[in-house]
Amino acid sequence: MNSALLLVNSHAFLVSSCGLLVNSHGLLVSSRFTREFCTFTREFARFSREFVRFTREFTRFTREFTRFTREFGHYIQLVHLFA
């Protein structure tokens, strides 16, 4: 009777140990996922900052190019006027 009870308890302990091992693996995978997600988030934030910087520079360039084009058009009009 005692050996049967001991066998049942051993089996229950083994099942609990397997459950703990599975839960530990789940935590490890979850931890790895969280770490990778944090890395991705940092990279995305860096990319976003670079994109904003690029957009500002492009807007500045467009503004300067528009001003140049307008002034060049006025210059061409003056050339045609005095030609």
Side-chain angles (χ1 to χ4, degrees):
M1 182 71 179
N2 281 341
S3 60
L5 189 59
L6 184 61
L7 185 63
V8 168
N9 284 341
S10 296
H11 179 71
F13 180 72
L14 185 62
V15 168
S16 293
S17 297
C18 285
L20 186 62
L21 186 62
V22 168
N23 287 341
S24 296
H25 178 71
L27 282 174
L28 186 64
V29 168
S30 177
S31 172
R32 182 173 161 219
F33 171 77
T34 302
R35 194 170 45 249
E36 288 177 1
F37 183 73
C38 287
T39 302
F40 168 77
T41 304
R42 276 192 302 272
E43 289 296 316
F44 183 73
R46 187 177 61 77
F47 170 77
S48 296
R49 284 190 303 272
E50 291 294 322
F51 183 73
V52 167
R53 189 175 302 129
F54 168 77
T55 304
R56 283 186 195 135
E57 289 296 321
F58 185 72
T59 303
R60 189 175 300 130
F61 168 78
T62 304
R63 198 175 307 124
E64 291 294 323
F65 185 74
T66 303
R67 184 178 307 135
F68 167 77
T69 305
R70 190 178 318 119
E71 290 174 3
F72 187 72
H74 291 189
Y75 171 75
I76 294 297
Q77 286 176 349
L78 287 174
V79 167
H80 284 292
L81 185 66
F82 293 111

